[in-house]
Amino acid sequence: MKVSEKLENINKEIYSACERAGRQPDTVKIVAVTKYVSNERTQEAVDAGLVHLGENRPEGFHEKKEAVSGNIKWHYIGSLQSRKVKNVINDIDYLHSLDRLSLVKEIQKRAEHQVDCFIQINVSGEEQKHGLSPENAAHFVEDLANYDKINVVGLMTMAPLTEDEEVIRSCFKQLAVLRDSIAAKNLQHAPCTELSMGMSNDFTIAIEEGATYIRIGSSLVGE
Ligand SMILES: *Cc1c(COP(=O)(O)O)cnc(C)c1O
């Protein structure tokens, strides 16, 4: 199926989720996760009108960035090893996986401009997952005041892999509460207004719980 057809279907689901939640559809941005797909398929996504693209590997990123043209904002959504920071940090518009001080320090050293970052939170506490615990998030964000290359635009999470909607919903709800509590501090380096949550299988729930960026791969650009 063409990306444009898949996008039409996704947009319908976004609209009805927004309607259920009493939200305006233009408050939800789609990050098309193109990490699995070819440069051609990625170009097709851009031509379908998708602006935000998500990648998760330093390898191949530059090649893709050069091959694909248009009005694009590049989102780095995967865990980022500190030693790879220098390879990508000046070529992305958003980082969704800031989760530790060593990474902050490396960004401070390597970035030529301020980087818009989401703090990745491990809401569900699963051991194999990256991200700060919700308890540690507020302090972590406050400490970032000392690093002028970091602008905290919001929080990001991945819900547990489960069929249980209530477990997923509870995870997203907790992230929204945490986002609100950090935003309420009115920190200059951390407006923290955005919520990056929801993927192919759970983005409608995420929208109902306040997602402003949904990260969709397989059901949007999958071949
Ligand atoms: C791959 C990935 C996605 C997209 O997953 P789909 O299930 O294909 O929609 C979203 N977020 C992150 C962090 C990812 O790694």
Side-chain angles (χ1 to χ4, degrees), residues 80-87 100 103 106 110:
L80 182 57
Q81 291 173 276
S82 295
R83 64 189 174 86
K84 303 265 174 80
V85 164
K86 60 179 181 301
N87 302 340
R100 60 192 190 276
L103 187 54
E106 187 64 14
R110 304 289 186 177

Side-chain angles (χ1 to χ4, degrees), residues 33 35-36 56 77 156 158 199-201 215-218:
V33 177
K35 68 187 186 196
Y36 322 98
N56 74 342
I77 61 168
M156 178 274 208
M158 292 170 82
M199 315 193 341
S200 289
N201 59 328
R215 309 178 309 269
I216 309 187
S218 44

